[in-house]
Amino acid sequence: MFVLELTYTAPLDRVDAALPDHVAWLEEQYAAGHFIASGRKDPRDGGVIIAAGIDRATAEKITAEDPFVRAGTCEYRITEFIATKTAPALAEYQQQLPS
């Protein structure tokens, strides 16, 4: 599982100009089953996405395709973690530590 943390690198007017394309990209990733949660940070200096069922190379490829990245308005920090404990609603995403 991955935490994909976006940090804006451009003024909000440029971010907002790319927002419709970013939202469409998010919808594609949800439809593909890659993302399970996302939203803006507060204060609004970026966002956070939780991704599951992918490997690091796929996470890097997906984030590189984000319209925010292509427009030069954000950078990503990709953090992989093993979700050994989840809420019941997320039980299908629970993972085991490697042996």
Side-chain angles (χ1 to χ4, degrees):
M1 192 169 291
F2 294 89
V3 175
L4 310 176
E5 182 181 5
L6 299 77
T7 301
Y8 297 145
T9 59
L12 286 178
D13 61 328
R14 286 192 47 215
V15 171
D16 287 339
L19 187 58
D21 290 337
H22 172 75
V23 171
W25 169 84
L26 285 170
E27 293 300 327
E28 291 172 9
Q29 300 312 313
Y30 276 103
H34 298 151
F35 293 173
I36 59 173
S38 61
R40 290 180 179 174
K41 290 193 245 176
D42 185 14
R44 188 179 174 204
D45 60 1
V48 175
I49 300 167
I50 306 297
I54 59 175
D55 59 20
R56 184 167 197 91
T58 302
E60 290 171 356
K61 180 180 182 292
I62 288 170
T63 56
E65 295 170 351
D66 182 345
F68 278 169
V69 171
R70 291 185 171 175
T73 61
C74 89
E75 293 178 345
Y76 273 91
R77 177 177 170 208
I78 300 173
T79 304
E80 186 171 5
F81 73 102
I82 300 169
T84 56
K85 182 88 172 150
T86 63
L90 298 174
E92 69 182 280
Y93 299 105
Q94 190 167 352
Q95 300 170 294
Q96 300 295 317
L97 291 173
S99 316

